[in-house]
């Protein structure tokens, strides 16, 4: 085998290196066999940098031993003497290397003996198998290596790790990032679940902030760890591309391109650009690199997937948590507003002309015509302690320009809105397509309570038919005062006196069994054929401002043929036919009072009453209303309602309600049970009257008066109200199955990227873009560009170096 010619670098070695070499007496002899026949010997200097795997960092210099690096040690079956003129360059050398020119390298074996050298315990020896084939275009391809370790008693020689299954195809496993990724994946679901619990029932901003923060932190941790794992694949693909271009004749890269490849400002873009570059570059095609047939494009695509997943993890985790919102009430802060809630003096003046028609049995007048298109508000029943309080639902009190029924004005806004085609159109209460906005309006409203009891001892106190064909009912005072006290009023409030000369008709006499001193009220009704009849008397006309107290006596006269299942207190003959008439009666006391009520008002629907805050007005409630926002309204607005001077308005509504009940099949035929009467028994159906129920009577009268009396106590007078705007609360919930699937995918991708990091071609050890790699590249002559080495000054500016050396070409290898 021919000797290597000495190059200038070997000739210019320092005197210190030559002296050190002369001091080493050890020599290594080797012979080469080609095809089984010995050839000319060659010399290997013991101090030469010739080493078994110059491309492998697994052979660091062990300066404490006789050899600079573990030498190529053939089997101990031949002798050879080193020559000082032998080549001292690394095995990965120029294309005219004698190793590269060796014919049939597959059948070439090297043997050597150590002459004058003693292997100590702890030395590392490399043994090689057959060398793989090489071609004249490439450097020498190293054979597979089996490393034997001889352990020292005091120390252990460090040897690099290798892949557990495919050491010649993939790099050693880098466990630390994978373990970090596994730990983060394990804690991800508990962290996300905890975030949903912390974010529960908070404002939408804080819910989004908490969920977004948890997703971002976990996404950042998972993403950076994934990139740390995938970076090794990108580094291998980058250096493989540099090697492929360097090994192909006529191909090279410039320093600017090398800088671009080694700088990861955008991971995904770096992978995409490399994928495109390898697709179009000639040196990276498989046909032009027979020494490396691995599909590097697949590895690059794997890295692109890793980088994309890493960038999207925060977004994916955020989508795995569902955020739902709901509007909820709040009573912490309010602002003062005005709503329509009382009668003005003008409203009361408009009511007086209706009084005569309302009290006339001939007209039985009602205020609201059925065809007006303006329905009276629905009645509402709310609880206050043990009491049932009946209210009229808010109608148009909250609309701009609206007014109550007590103004006795037909609202033009109630008219139908018609389009150009003549068809009616629904008018939404939302404004300009804005979402519905709601708030609680707290203000004083009129409400009523009612107590009823049957007329005691009906056979004594009810006179079915007198001498003048009238019906009388004598109500004991104790019965009336008992109802009054049950409403919370004192007995002294009842001051009515019975005047028999007025109430008893001419021709009729007081029954002897009646003790007039114990009678509190006497009711009288004509024989008019109405099944349900009323006799009312005000107990308190509201002069004190606290409301009205009304006495109601109800008399039922029903022909038994229309109530076959009915039970009555007493019976009598009918003057109009042969049917028997059944009689029953009750007495009720009704209190109409101001109540502070929370009413929910929304732009998307009708107002609705929520709860009673207290009795009276806003100023006399011993509660904390919260913090007021903004400035107070003018002091001219009342924050409570007063009945003073408004008795005519109350009578207007009261008589309207009674006439509405009387018109319910009242005089179509003599004493026929109406739907209203049957409902007072708790039944329905034309002939299903059973017996008068006080509970059903109270509910029936309460509902009727709430919808027919209370709306007419609201006219056009504004009152003070507190508005509590809704708050939007958000809740978060995690999609468990999707979360587990996503985390499993991330962990699987990390495992794949950790296990399958390809080794560089030609057996070159792993390279990254750290400082140590650049030391190996420029100081170890792996990247050759002598012009750059000679031209770089100590304090050169970076921009100057870009301009001066950016176009210089470099190659991997000498």
């Amino acid at each position: 085998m021919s000797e290597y010619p000495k190059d200038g670098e070997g000739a210019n070695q320092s005197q210190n290196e030559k002296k050190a070499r002369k001091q080493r007496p050890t020599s290594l002899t080797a012979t080469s066999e080609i095809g089984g026949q010995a050839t000319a010997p060659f010399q290997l200097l013991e101090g030469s940098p010739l080493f078994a795997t110059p491309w492998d960092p697994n052979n660091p210099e062990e300066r404490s031993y006789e050899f600079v690096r573990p030498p190529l040690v053939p089997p101990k079956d031949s002798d050879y003497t080193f020559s000082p003129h032998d080549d001292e360059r690394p095995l990965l050398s120029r294309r005219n290397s004698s190793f590269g020119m060796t014919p049939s390298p597959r059948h070439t074996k090297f043997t050597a003996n150590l002459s004058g050298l003693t292997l100590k315990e702890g030395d590392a020896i490399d043994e090689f198998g057959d060398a793989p084939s090489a071609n004249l275009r490439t450097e020498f391809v190293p054979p597979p290596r089996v490393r034997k370790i001889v352990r020292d008693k005091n120390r252990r020689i460090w040897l690099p790790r290798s892949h557990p299954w495919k050491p010649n195809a993939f790099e050693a496993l880098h466990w630390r990032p994978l373990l970090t990724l596994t730990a983060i994946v394990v804690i991800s679901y508990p962290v996300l679940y905890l975030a949903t619990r912390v974010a529960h029932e908070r404002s939408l901003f804080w819910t989004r902030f908490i969920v977004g923060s948890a997703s971002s932190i976990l996404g950042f941790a998972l993403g950076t760890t994934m990139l740390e794992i995938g970076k090794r694949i990108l580094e291998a693909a980058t250096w493989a591309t540099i090697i492929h271009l360097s090994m192909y004749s006529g191909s090279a890269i410039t320093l600017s391109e090398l800088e671009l490849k080694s700088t990861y400002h955008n991971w995904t873009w770096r992978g995409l650009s490399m994928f495109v570059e390898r697709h179009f570059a000639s040196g990276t095609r498989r046909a032009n690199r027979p020494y490396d047939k691995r599909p590097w494009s697949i590895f690059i695509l794997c890295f692109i997937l890793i980088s994309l997943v890493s960038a999207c993890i925060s977004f994916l985790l955020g989508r795995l948590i569902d955020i739902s919102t709901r509007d909820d009430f709040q009573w912490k802060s309010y602002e003062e507003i005005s709503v329509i809630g009382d009668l003005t003096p003008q409203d009361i003046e408009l009511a007086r002309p209706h009084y005569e028609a309302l009290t006339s049995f001939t007209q039985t007048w009602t205020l609201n015509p059925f065809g007006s298109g303006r329905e009276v508000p629905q009645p509402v029943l709310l609880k206050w302690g043990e009491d049932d309080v009946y209210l009229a639902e808010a109608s148009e009190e909250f609309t701009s320009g609206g007014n109550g029924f007590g103004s006795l004005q037909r609202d033009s806004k109630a008219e139908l809105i018609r389009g150009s085609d003549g068809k009616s159109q629904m008018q939404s209460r939302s404004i300009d397509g804005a979402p519905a906005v709601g708030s609680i309006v707290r203000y004083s409203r009129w409400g009523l309570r009612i107590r009823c009891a049957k007329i005691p001892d009906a056979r004594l106190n009810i006179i079915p038919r007198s001498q003048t064909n009238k019906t009388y009912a004598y109500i004991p005072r104790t019965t009336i005062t008992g109802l009054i006290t049950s409403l919370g009023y004192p007995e002294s409030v009842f001051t009515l006196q019975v005047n028999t000369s007025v109430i008893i008709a001419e021709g009729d006499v007081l029954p002897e069994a009646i003790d007039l001193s114990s009678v509190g009220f006497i009711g009288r009704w004509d024989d008019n054929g109405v099944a349900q009849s009323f006799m009312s008397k005000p107990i308190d006309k509201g002069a004190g401002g606290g409301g009205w107290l009304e006495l109601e006596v109800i008399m039922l006269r029903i022909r038994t043929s229309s109530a076959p299942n009915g039970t009555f207190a007493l019976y009598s003959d009918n003057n109009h036919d042969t049917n028997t008439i059944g009689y029953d009666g009750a007495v009720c006391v009704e209190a109409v009072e101001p109540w502070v009520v929370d009413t929910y008002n929304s732009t998307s629907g009708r107002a609705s009453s929520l709860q009673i805050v207290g009795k009276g007005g806003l100023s006399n409630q011993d509660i904390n209303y919260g913090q007021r926002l903004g400035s107070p309204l003018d002091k001219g607005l009342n924050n409570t309602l007063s009945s003073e001077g408004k008795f005519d308005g109350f009578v207007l509504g009261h008589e309207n309600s009674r006439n509405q009940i009387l018109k319910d099949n009242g005089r179509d035929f003599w004493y026929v049970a109406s739907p209203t009467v049957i409902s007072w028994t708790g039944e329905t159906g034309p002939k299903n009257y059973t017996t008068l129920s006080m509970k059903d009577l109270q509910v029936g009268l309460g509902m009727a008066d709430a919808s027919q009396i209370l709306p007419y106590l609201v006219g056009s007078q504004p009152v003070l109200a507190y508005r509590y705007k809704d708050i939007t609360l958000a809740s978060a919930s995690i999609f468990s199955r999707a979360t587990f699937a996503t985390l499993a995918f991330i962990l699987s991708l990390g495992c794949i990227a950790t296990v399958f990091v390809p080794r560089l071609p030609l057996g070159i050890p792993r390279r990254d873009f750290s400082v140590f790699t650049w030391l190996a590249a420029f100081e170890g002559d792996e990247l050759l560009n002598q012009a750059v080495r000679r031209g770089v000054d100590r304090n050169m500016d970076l921009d100057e170096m870009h301009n001066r050396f950016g176009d210089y070409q470099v190659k991997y290898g000498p």
Side-chain angles (χ1 to χ4, degrees):
M1 181 178 292
S2 61
E3 296 181 356
Y4 293 148
K6 271 189 177 179
D7 57 8
E9 185 177 356
N12 294 329
Q13 290 177 340
S14 64
Q15 295 296 327
N16 293 333
E17 291 176 343
K18 292 180 179 180
K19 290 179 180 180
R21 188 176 291 111
K22 289 179 180 180
Q23 293 174 0
R24 295 171 181 170
T26 309
S27 63
L28 177 68
T29 60
T31 60
S32 174
E33 296 183 3
I34 302 178
Q37 298 181 357
T39 60
F42 65 92
Q43 291 182 337
L44 299 176
L45 293 180
E46 178 274 334
S48 171
L50 177 65
F51 50 89
T53 54
W55 45 83
D56 194 338
N58 296 338
N59 297 308
E61 292 184 358
E62 296 289 342
R63 298 186 180 277
S64 61
Y65 288 88
E66 295 294 330
F67 296 100
V68 176
R69 297 185 182 182
L72 179 66
V73 183
K76 302 176 182 180
D77 56 356
S78 62
D79 295 331
Y80 195 80
T81 304
F82 284 104
S83 171
H85 303 291
D86 284 338
D87 184 23
E88 299 177 8
R89 292 177 301 168
L91 198 59
L92 181 61
S93 184
R94 296 177 180 173
R95 291 184 174 85
N96 60 359
S97 168
S98 60
F99 283 90
M101 299 296 293
T102 302
S104 302
R106 185 177 300 276
H107 303 288
T108 303
K109 292 196 294 185
F110 302 95
T111 60
N113 277 336
L114 295 174
S115 176
L117 190 89
T118 303
L119 286 177
K120 300 178 181 180
E121 184 180 5
D123 288 343
I125 301 177
D126 292 341
E127 295 185 356
F128 297 88
D130 293 339
S133 61
N135 57 68
L136 299 180
R137 296 172 57 90
T138 67
E139 302 295 340
F140 176 73
V141 180
R145 181 185 62 187
V146 179
R147 175 60 63 92
K148 293 182 179 180
I149 302 176
V150 181
R151 296 185 179 274
D152 191 4
K153 295 181 180 180
N154 299 323
R155 55 182 293 186
R156 178 186 177 187
I157 296 179
W158 177 86
L159 293 177
R161 296 178 296 108
S162 61
H163 195 277
W165 307 297
K166 296 288 185 178
N168 294 323
F170 302 103
E171 295 287 353
L173 302 183
H174 193 40
W175 290 107
R176 181 173 297 176
L178 181 59
L179 294 177
T180 303
L181 178 66
T182 303
I184 299 174
V185 168
V186 169
I187 67 173
S188 292
Y189 184 85
V191 170
L192 291 176
Y193 181 79
L194 180 62
T196 60
R197 295 297 90 197
V198 174
H200 185 66
E201 292 297 319
R202 296 182 181 270
S203 65
L204 183 59
F205 169 81
W206 284 111
T207 300
R208 287 176 174 174
F209 178 81
I210 295 172
V211 171
S213 298
S215 301
S216 299
I217 292 173
L218 289 176
F220 176 79
L222 291 171
T224 53
T225 308
M226 287 287 292
L227 287 177
E228 181 67 22
I229 294 174
K231 182 181 68 172
R232 294 167 65 89
I233 297 178
L234 180 62
E235 291 168 347
T238 302
W239 281 106
T241 302
I242 296 173
I243 295 171
H244 293 161
L245 295 176
S246 300
M247 299 299 295
Y248 186 72
S249 60
S251 297
I253 61 174
T254 64
L255 283 177
S256 296
E257 294 173 342
L258 179 61
E259 181 191 29
L260 180 63
K261 294 179 185 299
S262 61
T263 305
Y264 303 141
H265 295 299
N266 190 311
W267 295 85
T268 306
W269 178 249
R270 182 83 281 278
L272 290 172
S273 61
M274 186 180 300
F275 181 80
V276 175
E277 178 185 0
R278 292 188 63 87
H279 181 73
F280 291 101
S282 300
T284 59
R285 297 176 181 175
R286 290 192 185 184
N288 296 328
R289 50 180 175 92
Y291 54 91
D292 185 13
K293 296 295 185 179
R294 286 174 293 178
W296 285 94
S297 295
I298 295 179
F299 294 112
I300 296 175
L301 290 176
C302 180
F303 168 77
I304 293 174
L305 175 62
I306 293 174
S307 63
L308 290 176
V309 171
S310 301
C312 298
I313 290 178
S314 296
F315 174 81
L316 292 175
L317 294 180
R319 303 289 77 75
L320 294 175
I321 297 178
D322 178 51
I323 298 178
S324 58
T325 60
R326 65 180 180 86
D327 291 334
D328 200 0
F329 309 140
Q330 64 88 20
W331 288 272
K332 295 182 179 180
S333 60
Y334 68 92
E335 57 183 352
E336 293 186 356
I337 61 171
S338 63
V339 298
I340 302 300
D342 204 354
L343 295 171
T344 64
Q346 293 78 12
D347 297 332
I348 297 174
E349 286 296 327
L350 292 174
R352 287 193 175 102
H354 296 266
Y355 181 76
E356 183 179 354
L358 287 167
T359 57
S360 172
F361 181 78
T362 303
Q363 290 179 284
T364 315
W365 186 258
T366 52
L367 295 173
N368 190 43
F370 287 109
S372 65
R374 189 184 188 190
E375 297 180 356
V376 293
Q378 294 293 321
V380 178
L381 173 61
L382 297 179
K383 298 292 289 186
W384 175 250
E386 298 296 329
D387 291 336
D388 292 335
V389 180
Y390 298 89
L391 301 135
E393 192 59 273
S395 178
E396 297 180 3
E397 292 89 332
F398 300 147
T399 60
S400 178
N403 51 65
F405 282 77
S407 65
L408 300 180
Q409 296 177 0
R410 293 189 62 185
D411 191 353
S412 60
K413 293 183 179 180
E415 296 180 0
L416 288 175
I417 300 174
R418 297 188 177 274
S420 58
D421 57 354
K423 296 181 179 179
S424 63
Q425 298 176 343
M426 295 296 294
Q427 185 180 28
S428 175
R429 298 185 66 181
S430 60
I431 302 174
D432 297 332
V437 178
S439 60
I440 293 176
V441 181
R442 177 174 289 178
Y443 69 110
S444 185
R445 293 167 53 183
W446 292 110
L448 64 89
R449 295 179 296 154
I450 188 171
R451 294 286 190 274
C452 295
K454 275 194 174 185
I455 297 176
D457 197 2
R459 293 185 177 273
L460 174 63
N461 293 320
I462 296 178
I463 307 301
R465 190 178 304 277
S466 67
Q467 296 296 327
T468 59
N469 291 328
K470 297 185 185 303
T471 300
Y472 290 93
Y474 297 90
I475 312 300
R477 178 176 293 271
T478 56
T479 303
I480 298 174
T481 55
L483 295 174
I484 292 175
T485 55
S486 67
L487 290 172
Y489 291 88
E491 294 183 6
S492 59
V493 75
F494 184 69
T495 60
L496 296 179
Q497 298 298 324
V498 176
N499 190 348
T500 57
S501 62
V502 175
I503 194 67
I504 297 179
E506 185 178 354
D508 292 333
V509 295
L510 183 69
E512 295 179 359
I514 298 296
D515 183 7
L516 191 59
S517 62
S518 63
V519 175
F521 184 78
I522 300 175
R524 187 188 72 182
W525 297 272
D526 295 331
D527 187 15
N528 54 16
V530 179
Q532 64 275 7
S533 300
F534 295 90
M535 190 73 175
S536 304
K537 191 70 173 181
I539 300 174
D540 185 352
K541 294 185 178 181
W548 301 275
L549 205 60
E550 187 78 7
L551 176 65
E552 304 282 351
V553 179
I554 301 96
M555 178 56 64
L556 299 184
R557 295 173 291 184
I558 301 173
R559 59 195 299 142
T560 56
S561 61
S562 65
N565 300 319
T567 301
F568 301 93
L570 68 160
Y571 300 85
S572 72
D573 295 333
N574 186 0
N575 292 337
H576 307 284
D577 53 38
T578 58
N579 284 278
T580 303
I581 303 298
Y583 292 82
D584 212 338
V587 58
C588 300
V589 176
E590 187 174 73
V592 179
E593 308 152 313
W595 298 84
V596 178
V597 182
D598 283 340
T599 305
Y600 185 72
N601 182 40
S602 174
T603 58
S604 63
R606 295 178 179 269
S608 58
S609 302
L610 298 179
Q611 63 179 358
I612 294 176
V613 178
K615 185 178 179 181
L618 293 173
S619 58
N620 56 9
Q621 301 301 316
D622 187 17
I623 60 174
N624 182 14
Y625 288 114
Q627 181 183 4
R628 186 185 64 202
L629 303 178
S631 57
L633 293 183
D634 296 336
K635 296 182 179 180
L637 293 176
N638 293 324
N639 58 20
T640 188
L641 298 176
S642 175
S643 60
E644 184 179 1
K646 301 171 184 175
F647 181 67
D648 291 342
F650 170 74
V651 172
L652 182 79
H654 179 271
E655 297 303 316
N656 174 72
S657 177
R658 295 298 169 262
N659 291 341
Q660 290 283 3
I661 297 175
L662 292 177
K663 284 184 175 181
D664 185 16
N665 291 349
R667 290 175 293 181
D668 295 341
F669 197 70
W670 294 96
Y671 304 119
V672 177
S674 66
T676 299
V677 171
I678 295 176
S679 70
W680 292 346
T681 66
E683 301 293 337
T684 59
K687 294 186 178 183
N688 289 336
Y689 181 92
T690 54
T691 185
L692 182 61
S693 168
M694 293 301 99
K695 179 181 178 180
D696 295 314
L697 177 62
Q698 286 181 182
V699 172
L701 289 179
M703 289 291 186
D705 291 348
S707 62
Q708 299 297 333
I709 296 178
L710 299 183
Y712 292 95
L713 298 178
V714 179
S716 56
Q717 175 64 46
V719 296
L720 182 66
Y722 296 159
R723 179 171 64 185
Y724 298 83
K725 291 185 178 179
D726 286 351
I727 58 174
T728 300
L729 296 180
S731 300
S733 59
I734 187 171
F735 299 113
S736 298
R737 292 185 179 180
T739 302
F740 284 126
T742 302
L743 295 176
F745 171 74
I746 293 174
L747 183 59
S748 301
L749 191 60
C751 292
I752 293 174
T754 300
V755 174
F756 300 105
V757 178
R759 287 180 62 89
L760 296 180
L762 302 177
I764 297 173
R766 191 181 77 85
R767 291 289 181 259
D768 54 18
F769 293 103
S770 64
V771 174
F772 300 101
T773 294
W774 295 123
L775 286 175
F778 289 107
E779 295 298 328
D781 291 340
E782 289 185 1
L783 285 179
L784 299 181
N785 193 301
Q786 298 298 329
V788 175
R789 178 180 295 183
R790 291 192 298 267
V792 176
D793 296 332
R794 182 186 182 104
N795 294 317
M796 288 187 67
D797 188 83
L798 283 177
D799 294 335
E800 180 184 0
M801 295 175 66
H802 275 281
N803 296 331
R804 184 172 179 181
F805 307 122
D807 295 334
Y808 283 11
Q809 293 185 344
V810 296
K811 288 188 176 183
Y812 193 93

